[in-house]
Amino acid sequence: SERVDAITRFLTDHGWAGATRRTLADDASFRRYDRLRDGTREAVLMDAPPPQEDVRPFVRIARHLADLGFSAPEVLAEDVDQGFLLIEDLGDATYTRVLADAPDREHDLYALAIDVLIDLHGRAGAVPAGLPAYDMGRLLDEALLLTDWFVPAVTGREMDGAARESYLTAWQSALGPVAAAPPTLVLRDYHVDNLMWLPERPGPRACGVLDFQDAVAGPAAYDLMSLLEDARRDIAPALKRDMWARYTAAFPELADGAAAQAFAAQFHILGAQRHAKVIGIFTRLAHRDAKPAYLVHIPRVWRLLESSLSHPALAPVAAWMDAHVPPETRIQPPESTSAP
């Protein structure tokens, strides 16, 4: 195919013509990754076909994180027009794999991931110039994924227009404090599948970071929530409490008082928003993209969403859910290849 020929030319142009290739990972997006080996050299080929994908945000954030001293993959070569990158191979030790083989490392690995966030959020230059804002419009568009994909999948019909509008109204009420929060760099998918254990590197650099191309300028609570309320992994309440305490202890303003209460509210509000988004995305992956493997996580994400909705700041959203998505419909949708 033309795409295969283009990859061959890209590898040849950058000195990897003789490399062996094997699939490293597919992605929930249109990206794929191949591991390259050429003698003692190793690298990863990212194939991110336009127009579905744009590699420029990945390149920009990878270099920004590296400049700040974090372990993002080095970009070795790029063809942004065709959507090809050669990036540093950080190995196979994702947090997910390490935790499966050595569950006794859980506390230390999570503590290291928390320390990365503490370091990042404590930096005045964390947000690169011109980074998109995690504004009200973006937050609402993501929340709509639940009504636009999950609801039709479990009911067999589109969400009523008036109900959809009242859903947006409920979210606008809840999201006001979040949209006004001071911004930092939000990586957006900060969880164990996208973190690497790099024990040979010192301090926070021992935690490698992947999948940050959708980074935005937004509330600090978001990535903390993404780590501690993982859509794909159950996290014990005691571990969550310990990591919350580790993070908040690093910022004196979060120790007590109004600022601490506001941060806790932002955590719950952003948790509910993300969980609603993820339920919609996992459904869309099955129905539009023929990737049903993500559906198995939806019951867990519903439990997380229901927990978040217990916060008083989310009362309008909780009331809407009770009226329009009652508990008996909060299920794993059937597999389907048809979009609503």
Side-chain angles (χ1 to χ4, degrees), residues 68-72 95 111-120 123 190 195-198 201-209:
L68 294 175
F70 298 106
S71 289
Y95 267 36
L112 178 59
I114 292 290
D115 289 347
V116 171
L117 293 180
I118 291 170
D119 191 349
L120 179 62
R123 291 173 180 258
Y190 194 78
L195 300 176
M196 304 292 299
W197 171 229
L198 307 172
R201 301 187 182 187
R205 283 181 50 77
C207 178
V209 183

Side-chain angles (χ1 to χ4, degrees), residues 2 16 19 77 82 85 101 105 110 132 151 155 163 165 174 177-178 205 207 235 256 260 264 283 310 324:
E2 291 183 9
W16 289 84
Q82 296 197 86
L85 296 179
D101 294 338
R105 290 185 175 175
Y110 272 86
V151 170
T155 66
E165 285 302 312
V178 166
R205 283 181 50 77
C207 178
I235 297 171
D256 199 4
T283 306
S310 66
H324 298 283

